[in-house]
């Protein structure tokens, strides 16, 4: 896959060189044709030479044609650069260099969202930073809410999973859609597009002047041809009409402000909607989105009309052409009329379009995990009867998505109800294992595929106590902060909820002395193991391995361990049954030079 992406980047570079060369040539001939048209037309009109006048008109037509070619080349160059950037991001994901991506979702990370902090769902080096392909503000927000499990309904998981798996098999669509979406943010801050829906009344004088100005100029040309007036008067008539349009500049700016804000983004939004319209979808969610886009009352036709108005408005960025059109046909009055008509007929389409694009961006983001990694479709059970042998979680060769397939060590585990204790020496992989299980459970609830060969699990509410921080200003120590986290878990479990809890606690009560830690941990584990779910605890306290739960069962034990090779400390990071029997703290202290 890496080679495929690199080959495409090389082809894009070759296309860009050719497009840049053509762009320079067209820019030169466009400039020449413009001055030739002005000089020939002016000389022909003032000198009464019809051949020069006709030549000026031909050169003007050539100039307009070159304008379109020039714009097409500029659009092609923009598209190629955007596609190249998208593919390079996929290469970075595969090579492990994705942590340099500027958008890590930190702005969406709430202080109270401990789950996202503990599992690296949002923020630096997070799941969001790895998989998000959203570029619109709405798309980024929806993606962040889904990844942090704030925007997930369990009734929709199966349908979302179907859509995500379908998108994962459409790599060309993924790259094409993101390439266009990325262009939106480069052109304009598209969140301002919503201003377009503000209603502005159109004065009666506007349709009057949009008809009157062309009539004045047409009458002047006819009078000059019939020699009723001097040819110079044609120019004076156009100049007078230009002055009239400028008298209404404040009204023009007010009515056309949304068009100026929108800029070229309407073209990109239309391109996004067309990609959806032209693609074949089988999943219910994606088929529904396509229907919203291209159905009988779909938004694509509304955005297409808006694109036409926006492109017509782009002429205003060329002041000379803009003045000529205003003086001859009252260009701005026509634009005001078109803008007002669109708004009355299609008001609200822009917001719907933004929402539709955001939905696709969010689903595309979740599919990235399957494009870059080895994944499987999880089986989620929603009742105890669906589970086999009382298992709440069963995984084969599960690995952490943020580590990647090349470096990650996969593990297999089976978790039943009650408590599971993970022991092991320092740096052996206990914490990573907890995060691996939890983040893959989160992926399954988002509707994504998971990083494993097989995964079957119960639908559960996730709780974590891993990166526990103190609060100096609030007078809360690390130990008490952890107590509050575990208290939240216990209160949820004691309420006998329909959805069982999955609790992950790393180095339980590490912030206090060993005697209090063991007593506190025993009591906490007993409380958390009474529910319908499970609690997984990592610890260095082997005393917890013999703990009996309230139903008389001993806690389930797994462990990690180290080994020595040529007097060097090494780890295989493989989960093993039973409790740990080795320690390595003294070895690590000696390696650091802190112990003889």
């Amino acid at each position: 896959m890496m080679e495929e992406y690199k080959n495409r980047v090389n082809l894009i570079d070759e296309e860009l060189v050719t497009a840049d060369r053509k762009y320079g040539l067209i820019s030169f001939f466009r400039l020449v044709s413009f001055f030739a048209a002005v000089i020939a037309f002016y000389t022909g009109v003032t000198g009464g030479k019809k051949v020069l006048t006709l030549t000026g008109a031909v050169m003007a037509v050539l100039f307009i044609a070159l304008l379109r070619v020039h714009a097409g080349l500029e659009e092609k160059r923009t598209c190629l650069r955007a596609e190249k950037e998208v593919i390079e991001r996929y290469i970075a994901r595969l090579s492990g260099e994705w942590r340099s991506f500027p958008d890590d979702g930190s702005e969406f990370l709430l202080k109270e969202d401990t789950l996202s902090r503990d599992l690296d769902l949002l923020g630096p080096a997070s799941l969001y930073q790895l998989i998000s392909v959203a570029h619109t503000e709405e798309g980024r927000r929806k993606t962040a809410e889904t990844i942090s499990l704030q925007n997930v309904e369990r009734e929709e998981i199966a349908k979302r999973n179907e859509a995500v798996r379908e998108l994962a098999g459409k790599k060309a669509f993924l790259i094409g859609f993101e390439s266009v979406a990325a262009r939106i943010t480069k052109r304009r801050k598209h969140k301002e597009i919503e201003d377009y829906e503000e209603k502005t009344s159109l004065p009666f004088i506007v349709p009057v002047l949009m008809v009157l100005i062309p009539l004045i100029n047409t009458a002047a040309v006819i009078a000059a041809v019939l020699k009723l007036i001097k040819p110079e008067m044609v120019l004076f008539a156009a100049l007078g009409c230009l002055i009239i349009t400028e008298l209404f500049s404040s009204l023009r700016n007010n009515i056309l402000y949304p068009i100026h804000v929108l800029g070229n983004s309407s073209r990109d939004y239309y391109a996004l909607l067309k990609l959806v319209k032209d693609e074949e979808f089988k999943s219910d969610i994606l088929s529904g989105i396509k229907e919203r886009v291209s159905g009988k009352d779909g938004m694509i036709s509304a955005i297409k009309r808006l694109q036409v108005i926006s492109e017509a408005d782009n002429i205003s960025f060329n002041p000379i052409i803009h003045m000529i059109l205003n003086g001859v046909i009252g260009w701005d009055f026509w634009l005001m009329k078109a803008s007002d008509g669109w708004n009355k007929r299609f008001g609200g389409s822009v917001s719907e379009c933004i929402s539709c694009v955001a939905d696709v961006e969010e689903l595309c983001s979740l599919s990235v995990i399957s494009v870059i990694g080895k994944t499987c479709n999880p089986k989620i059970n929603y009742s105890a009867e669906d589970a086999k042998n009382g298992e709440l979680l069963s995984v084969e060769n599960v690995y952490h998505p943020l580590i990647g397939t090349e470096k990650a060590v996969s593990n297999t585990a089976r978790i039943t109800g009650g408590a599971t204790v993970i022991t092991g020496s320092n740096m052996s992989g206990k914490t990573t294992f907890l995060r691996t299980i939890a983040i893959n459970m989160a992926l399954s609830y988002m509707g994504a595929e998971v990083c494993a060969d097989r995964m079957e699990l119960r639908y559960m509410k996730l709780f974590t106590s891993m990166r526990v921080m103190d609060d100096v200003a609030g007078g809360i120590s690390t130990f008490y902060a952890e107590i509050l986290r575990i208290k939240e878990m216990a209160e949820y479990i004691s309420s006998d909820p329909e959805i069982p809890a999955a609790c992950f606690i790393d180095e339980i009560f590490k912030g206090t002395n060993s005697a209090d830690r063991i007593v506190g941990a025993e009591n906490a584990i007993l409380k958390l193991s009474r529910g319908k779910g499970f609690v997984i605890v990592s610890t260095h306290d082997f005393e917890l391995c013999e703990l009996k739960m309230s139903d008389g069962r001993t806690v389930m034990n797994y462990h990690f361990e180290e080994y020595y090779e040529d007097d060097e400390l090494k780890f295989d990071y493989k989960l093993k049954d039973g409790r740990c029997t080795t320690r390595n703290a003294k070895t690590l202290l000696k390696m650091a030079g802190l112990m003889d």
Side-chain angles (χ1 to χ4, degrees), residues 341-505:
W342 187 94
N343 199 35
K344 288 177 178 177
R345 182 175 178 183
F346 299 110
S349 295
V350 171
S351 291
E352 187 180 358
C353 173
I354 292 172
S355 176
C356 178
V357 168
D359 288 340
V360 178
E361 284 186 306
E362 177 223 358
L363 294 170
C364 287
S365 296
L366 295 181
S367 70
V368 168
I369 203 74
S370 299
V371 174
I372 64 173
K374 182 182 178 183
T375 60
C376 73
N377 195 38
K379 179 183 178 183
I380 302 177
N381 299 318
Y382 292 93
S383 66
E385 291 75 20
D386 296 331
K388 297 178 181 178
N389 303 320
E391 293 179 355
L392 295 177
L393 175 69
S394 178
V395 290
E396 293 179 7
N397 296 322
V398 65
Y399 68 92
H400 200 296
L402 303 187
I403 299 177
T405 55
E406 296 297 324
K407 296 181 179 179
V409 176
S410 61
N411 277 293
T412 298
R414 180 178 64 87
I415 307 294
T416 57
T420 298
V421 174
I422 311 290
T423 50
S425 51
N426 296 288
M427 299 166 55
S428 60
K430 302 185 301 297
T431 303
T432 300
F433 175 73
L434 261 63
R435 290 198 175 108
T436 298
I437 296 296
I439 197 171
N440 277 284
M441 291 181 71
L443 279 170
S444 70
Y445 301 153
M446 296 172 204
E449 292 197 321
V450 295
C451 301
D453 287 346
R454 185 188 69 83
M455 186 172 191
E456 183 173 349
L457 71 162
R458 178 79 184 274
Y459 182 77
M460 308 176 77
K461 182 175 176 60
L462 299 178
F463 290 93
T464 58
S465 178
M466 296 179 180
R467 290 192 178 107
V468 182
M469 304 292 291
D470 60 1
D471 183 356
V472 177
I476 297 176
S477 67
T478 303
F479 177 56
Y480 189 62
E482 185 176 4
I483 289 176
L484 294 178
R485 292 255 196 122
I486 295 176
K487 177 187 176 184
E488 181 185 2
M489 302 177 192
E491 289 178 345
Y492 179 83
I493 292 170
S494 64
S495 67
D496 192 26
E498 177 189 355
I499 301 173
C503 304
F504 298 86
I505 305 176

Side-chain angles (χ1 to χ4, degrees), residues 180-191:
V180 179
R183 301 204 306 258
I184 295 176
T185 53
K186 289 185 177 181
R187 295 189 203 269
R188 296 277 185 178
K189 289 187 177 180
H190 65 281
K191 61 183 180 181

Side-chain angles (χ1 to χ4, degrees), residues 31-165:
L31 185 65
V32 170
S33 63
F34 172 76
F35 282 109
V38 172
I39 293 170
F41 191 80
Y42 178 79
T43 304
V45 171
T46 56
K49 299 178 180 179
K50 295 181 180 179
V51 174
L52 281 177
T53 303
L54 181 61
T55 301
V58 171
M59 295 306 293
V61 172
L62 177 62
F63 172 73
I64 293 173
L66 289 175
L67 271 180
R68 295 186 64 84
V69 174
H70 188 268
L73 283 172
E74 175 62 25
E75 183 67 14
K76 181 177 181 180
R77 293 164 75 214
T78 301
C79 293
L80 288 171
R81 292 192 188 103
E83 183 182 354
K84 180 182 177 181
E85 289 180 7
V86 169
I87 296 175
E88 286 176 339
R89 281 196 286 271
Y90 275 97
I91 293 174
R93 291 184 180 103
L94 291 168
S95 64
E97 299 174 359
W98 53 270
R99 290 171 179 81
S100 62
F101 293 173
D103 185 16
D104 60 18
S106 292
E107 66 191 89
F108 304 107
L109 182 55
L110 305 177
K111 183 179 180 181
E112 62 273 15
D113 187 1
T114 56
L115 182 70
S116 292
R117 294 180 188 278
D118 285 350
L119 301 184
D120 298 308
L121 299 179
L122 300 174
S126 66
L127 181 66
Y128 178 97
Q129 190 176 24
L130 171 66
I131 69 174
S132 176
V133 295
H135 293 271
T136 68
E137 289 299 317
E138 184 69 7
R140 293 176 62 245
R141 182 188 63 78
K142 283 187 177 181
T143 301
E145 288 181 353
T146 296
I147 289 176
S148 58
L149 300 182
Q150 299 176 44
N151 187 32
V152 176
E153 299 292 337
R154 62 174 175 173
E155 294 80 10
E156 295 293 319
I157 292 177
K159 290 183 178 181
R160 290 169 56 79
N161 178 263
E162 181 188 17
V164 168
R165 285 189 290 118

Side-chain angles (χ1 to χ4, degrees), residues 135-352:
H135 293 271
T136 68
E137 289 299 317
E138 184 69 7
R140 293 176 62 245
R141 182 188 63 78
K142 283 187 177 181
T143 301
E145 288 181 353
T146 296
I147 289 176
S148 58
L149 300 182
Q150 299 176 44
N151 187 32
V152 176
E153 299 292 337
R154 62 174 175 173
E155 294 80 10
E156 295 293 319
I157 292 177
K159 290 183 178 181
R160 290 169 56 79
N161 178 263
E162 181 188 17
V164 168
R165 285 189 290 118
E166 183 175 11
L167 286 171
K170 297 178 178 292
K171 295 178 185 177
F173 177 82
L174 291 176
I175 292 173
F177 196 88
E178 185 185 357
S179 299
V180 179
R183 301 204 306 258
I184 295 176
T185 53
K186 289 185 177 181
R187 295 189 203 269
R188 296 277 185 178
K189 289 187 177 180
H190 65 281
K191 61 183 180 181
E192 295 175 342
I193 294 175
E194 295 178 29
D195 292 343
Y196 191 84
E197 294 168 30
E198 295 180 0
K199 301 293 190 297
T200 304
S201 59
L202 191 71
F204 175 74
I205 191 65
V206 170
V208 172
L209 290 174
M210 63 182 281
V211 175
L212 184 60
I213 288 176
L215 287 177
I216 291 174
N217 286 288
T218 302
V221 170
I222 293 174
V225 170
L226 296 177
K227 296 182 180 181
L228 299 176
I229 60 174
K230 294 181 179 180
E232 293 86 349
M233 295 303 296
V234 174
L235 297 179
F236 284 113
L239 181 60
C241 291
L242 175 61
I243 293 173
I244 292 174
T245 59
E246 288 303 314
L247 291 176
F248 290 87
S249 60
S250 59
L251 176 64
R252 173 195 65 201
N253 293 335
N254 185 31
I255 294 177
L256 295 182
Y257 169 76
I259 293 289
H260 297 319
V261 170
L262 182 56
N264 291 329
S265 295
S266 60
R267 180 191 309 165
D268 295 325
Y269 273 106
Y270 175 76
L272 289 172
L273 297 181
K274 193 171 188 306
L275 282 172
V276 173
K277 177 179 179 292
D278 294 342
E279 191 69 30
E280 291 295 327
F281 294 117
K282 296 180 180 178
S283 60
D284 290 345
I285 290 181
L286 292 174
S287 297
I289 292 175
K290 182 174 179 177
E291 178 62 26
R292 287 165 58 193
V293 169
S294 57
K296 182 179 179 181
D297 297 319
M299 67 188 79
I300 192 168
S301 58
I303 300 301
K304 176 62 177 177
R305 296 193 184 196
L306 186 58
Q307 176 193 346
V308 172
I309 299 173
S310 181
E311 289 180 347
D313 178 61
N314 285 341
I315 291 177
S316 63
F317 294 106
N318 188 319
I320 296 177
I321 299 299
H322 187 222
M323 286 190 294
I324 292 173
L325 290 175
N326 268 336
V328 175
I329 62 172
W331 182 257
D332 285 347
F333 294 117
W334 288 87
L335 280 180
M336 283 188 272
K337 178 65 175 175
S339 174
D340 181 68
W342 187 94
N343 199 35
K344 288 177 178 177
R345 182 175 178 183
F346 299 110
S349 295
V350 171
S351 291
E352 187 180 358

